[in-house]
Amino acid sequence: MKRAIFPGSFDPLTLGHYDIIKRGITLFDEIIVAIGVNSSKKYMFSLKERQQFIMDAFKGEPKVKVVTYEGLTVDFCQKNDVEFILRGLRNPADFEFEKAIAHTNRDLAPIETIFLLTSADTSYIASSIVRDVIRNHGDYTKLVPDSVRVKS
């Protein structure tokens, strides 16, 4: 069984993330959406909310699992018998950043990183942009799946 982890903070899940997961389902038997917990980072949405956004977005899709983890992604992979890390690339800056992480991960463990280019219509979407739109009371619903909604 080919399993991949799709790690991130997902604060919040965006249409870009959603697209990568949907396309990843066609390549892997299981996609583990792994929400990294970083105690030094301040999040807009609670861990529970972020988990629920993802679970609701992929309700009825048995190939998608949602978990949380702390520490190195490669350690999580080894503990859970996962051979692949799935990452989305929006632009050349993403590639350079992700390439360095992929090389480091491969030095630490026999884990391969698989890159998917984001779809053209979602390539501009970043969680930080979504959070800024939300903070400024803009229409963020065009940037996220229907499962992501701010409580009024």
Side-chain angles (χ1 to χ4, degrees):
M1 183 156 106
K2 286 187 182 171
R3 300 166 74 216
I5 179 178
F6 184 48
S9 58
F10 305 102
D11 188 35
L13 177 72
T14 70
L15 287 176
H17 296 132
Y18 184 84
D19 173 62
I20 295 296
I21 296 166
K22 287 294 277 188
R23 290 171 40 221
I25 290 168
T26 68
L27 302 172
F28 296 98
D29 299 309
E30 182 177 69
I31 302 286
I32 301 168
V33 181
I35 304 171
V37 177
N38 181 343
S39 58
S40 65
K41 200 170 175 184
K42 192 166 184 193
Y43 298 104
M44 175 175 271
F45 296 96
S46 72
L47 183 58
K48 193 176 207 103
E49 287 174 310
R50 290 179 279 148
Q51 283 178 293
Q52 198 62 55
F53 291 155
I54 299 165
M55 288 188 296
D56 289 349
F58 291 96
K59 192 183 309 183
E61 177 48 72
K63 292 173 92 176
V64 175
K65 307 282 184 259
V66 183
V67 301
T68 63
Y69 76 105
E70 290 185 60
L72 294 176
T73 302
V74 291
D75 289 344
F76 176 89
C77 289
Q78 289 186 302
K79 286 177 193 161
N80 293 278
D81 199 28
V82 176
E83 299 177 41
F84 302 96
I85 297 172
L86 178 62
R87 299 298 294 158
L89 299 175
R90 294 172 298 194
N91 54 47
D94 277 358
F95 174 73
E96 289 301 325
F97 178 74
E98 293 291 346
K99 179 178 77 167
I101 294 171
H103 285 310
T104 303
N105 286 340
R106 200 172 24 215
D107 279 347
L108 296 173
I111 306 292
E112 281 296 333
T113 301
I114 307 299
F115 297 113
L116 290 181
L117 298 178
T118 56
S119 299
D121 57 342
T122 64
S123 64
Y124 66 96
I125 303 172
S127 291
S128 57
I129 292 171
V130 174
R131 289 191 304 270
D132 197 43
V133 170
I134 291 169
R135 274 189 212 98
N136 290 288
H137 312 290
D139 183 8
Y140 66 93
T141 62
K142 300 171 186 174
L143 308 171
V144 297
D146 292 341
S147 63
V148 178
R149 292 298 178 259
V150 176
K151 296 174 188 150
S152 309

